[in-house]
Each structure stands twice: as C-alpha cells, then as structure tokens.
Amino acid sequence: KIEILYILRMSDLDFYYAGYEFFYNITESHSIKFNTQNSRIRRFRGLFGCSPSACSIIWNKLSAENLHPVDSKYKHLLYALLFLKVYGTEHTHKCICKADEKTFRKWCWRYVQLIADLEIINFKDRFIGSTGDHEHDFNGHSIYVSLDGVDFMIEEPIPFDPKWYSHKFKAAGLRYEVGLNIRTGDIVWVHGGVPCGDFPDLKLAIARQLYIKQVLPGELTLTDDGYKDETYFVYPQKYISTIQNLSEKNYVKTRNDKSKN
C-alpha cells in the first residue's frame, strides 16, 4: 500500500491512487488508468469535495511551509476533507475511515485548522493566463476578473430572524462576493460571509469599499447590473458583444456563468 511520509510532495496522480486505496482497499491501485474525465474523478470529488489536483495543492503547500504535524500521512488530510464534505458524526467517520474516534478527531481537526489557515486565494493570480497582448480588453481597459455575489445555504438559526433570508433558495444563507480569473476559472477574490437578508446589495457595500482599491488604474471587472459604476465595472453582455471571435466569446460567457454557480 502507499505510505507517503509527510515531508514528501504528492502529485494529483498520487492522491488519485491514494483516494481509491483509502476507500476501496485497492492494493494495486497504480493499475488504474488515470483519466481526469472519467467517473472515478467524480467519485473522488463526491467523497472528498475536491479533485486530486486540489488535494495535491493543499498537501504540497503545507509541505513547502513545513506545516505538516509530525507523523502525519496523506490519509490524515483525507480525513479532514471527508469530514468537510460529509460533516457526519465521529462514529460515522470512524466507520468510514476504519480508525478509532480519538485518532480521527486528532488528525481531522489538525488538518481542518491547517487548511483554514492557508492563504490559497491570491488576487494577483488574476493575471495568470494573460499573455499581455490585450486579448481581453474593452475600449482600452484590461479585464481579468468576473465578479458576482453568491449565496450559501446554512441551517436555519433559532429563533427565526429575517436577516438570514436568501431570496435565491428561500432559506437562511450567507452571502459572499466571489471573483474568478476569466481565463483559468480560478477563484482570485472572496469576501463576505454576511447574512443574506442584511446585505441585499452586498455588491455595492463590499465592491466599492474594498475591491476597487485592489485593481489597477484602468482595469475593469465583469459584473452584473448590481455594480453601477462604469469606472470599474462592465456588464458581460456589453463586453461580449464587442468580441468578434466566436470561440473567445463563448469562452468568456462560460467563465462569467461559472462565477454564479
């Protein structure tokens, strides 16, 4: 079986095999053909809530910063990711992981905290994929990010308070503002975590005060019509209508749609 010491780096392929060994007790896991499009990747995401590539990024970043606890192994990171995905009782996770509750609790919460403390999202990553030849310009302004408000459902707080109400799914929720690199789809900006009902216009409350301080002079951002400042924001429909190349037009539309999902 795979036994990787915490000091070593792990690739997405390593985690792909590790996930299957972890759950299906496959001893000859390297015989599995690696295919990012097949059902095994979907099952991996279903179990851990992220791709093998994301696991590799987390693990290697912790390794690079020498943050792994002594005696930790790859499966301990998987404990934490499983917990964050399933969010079951300790007894449930004990049965899945085949570890006693004390062991699971120890390693799960250590890695949950390590993941929470990582600085993964970097606004400078909005430049990744840009060739510098103004391929995504609008009237002379550079565009790197698609920005939108996103609601996340939470359990209904007791007693009931309308400040939590989200009109998107008619239940309690938290609202965030999320920005994507329009070339890669990577998240490069996150802010919020506020009650949906208290911030019906989170876009203006956050974007005007924080986001615009981060952008370059002349830089525009793709947004919906909630951002009413053409100095910094441009609507996707208005921008896309100026693109002549059909494949590029579809590409930008796809990236903007992903920020809403």
Side-chain angles (χ1 to χ4, degrees):
K1 292 186 177 182
I2 304 172
E3 290 292 339
I4 306 295
L5 297 177
Y6 76 94
I7 57 174
L8 298 181
R9 294 174 59 84
M10 290 187 69
S11 68
D12 52 351
L13 187 58
D14 291 327
F15 269 104
Y16 176 81
Y17 295 140
Y20 262 70
E21 179 183 333
F22 182 77
F23 275 92
Y24 300 107
N25 196 29
I26 299 174
T27 57
E28 297 181 0
S29 52
H30 283 74
S31 64
I32 303 174
K33 184 178 180 181
F34 185 71
N35 183 344
T36 57
Q37 302 301 320
N38 66 18
S39 61
R40 294 190 178 96
I41 293 294
R42 292 195 296 271
R43 291 172 185 169
F44 190 101
R45 288 178 180 273
L47 295 168
F48 300 110
C50 63
S51 67
S53 178
C55 292
S56 175
I57 291 171
I58 295 171
W59 182 268
N60 293 334
K61 190 170 181 62
L62 290 172
S63 296
E65 299 179 17
N66 196 28
L67 294 175
H68 287 290
V70 176
D71 296 328
S72 60
K73 299 178 181 178
Y74 68 85
K75 65 181 180 181
H76 298 141
L77 172 59
L78 296 181
Y79 283 2
L81 295 174
L82 172 70
F83 173 74
L84 293 173
K85 174 64 177 178
V86 178
Y87 204 62
T89 64
E90 287 185 351
H91 182 73
T92 298
H93 290 291
K94 164 193 170 182
C95 297
I96 297 175
C97 299
K98 298 180 176 60
D100 62 75
E101 294 179 13
K102 182 178 179 180
T103 299
F104 175 82
R105 185 187 312 118
K106 168 187 173 181
W107 291 110
C108 168
W109 283 108
R110 283 191 180 184
Y111 272 97
V112 166
Q113 189 61 57
L114 287 171
I115 293 171
D117 291 340
L118 278 178
E119 295 184 3
I120 295 293
I121 299 175
N122 189 333
F123 194 54
K124 292 181 179 179
D125 288 347
R126 71 190 189 281
F127 301 126
I128 295 176
S130 174
T131 61
D133 59 2
H134 307 288
E135 77 276 30
H136 284 294
D137 274 15
F138 176 76
N139 295 337
H141 297 273
S142 297
I143 298 177
Y144 303 104
V145 177
S146 175
L147 194 68
D148 198 15
V150 182
D151 290 0
F152 291 87
M153 189 180 297
I154 62 173
E155 291 188 12
E156 190 72 50
I158 299 175
F160 173 80
D161 191 324
K163 75 176 185 178
W164 302 101
Y165 183 79
S166 167
H167 68 278
K168 294 186 178 180
F169 37 72
K170 302 186 186 308
L174 293 174
R175 182 163 294 164
Y176 290 83
E177 183 178 64
V178 179
L180 301 184
N181 179 324
I182 63 173
R183 297 164 183 81
T184 66
D186 294 333
I187 297 175
V188 296
W189 171 268
V190 173
H191 198 85
V194 296
C196 295
D198 265 3
F199 287 80
D201 204 349
L202 176 74
K203 303 174 180 64
L204 292 179
I206 291 181
R208 290 280 180 87
Q209 300 175 21
L210 297 175
Y211 182 82
I212 60 178
K213 295 180 180 179
Q214 309 300 320
V215 301
L216 299 174
E219 179 180 345
L220 291 177
T221 299
L222 293 179
T223 63
D224 60 25
D225 57 6
Y227 297 78
K228 302 182 182 299
D229 190 338
E230 295 186 1
T231 304
Y232 300 100
F233 308 112
V234 60
Y235 306 156
Q237 294 78 7
K238 188 174 181 180
Y239 168 55
I240 292 171
S241 65
T242 67
I243 302 176
Q244 300 301 319
N245 184 286
L246 180 60
S247 61
E248 182 180 346
K249 181 178 294 190
N250 292 333
Y251 177 82
V252 175
K253 287 181 65 177
T254 300
R255 288 302 181 204
N256 182 70
D257 291 342
K258 281 188 176 181
S259 69
K260 301 177 181 179
N261 298 324

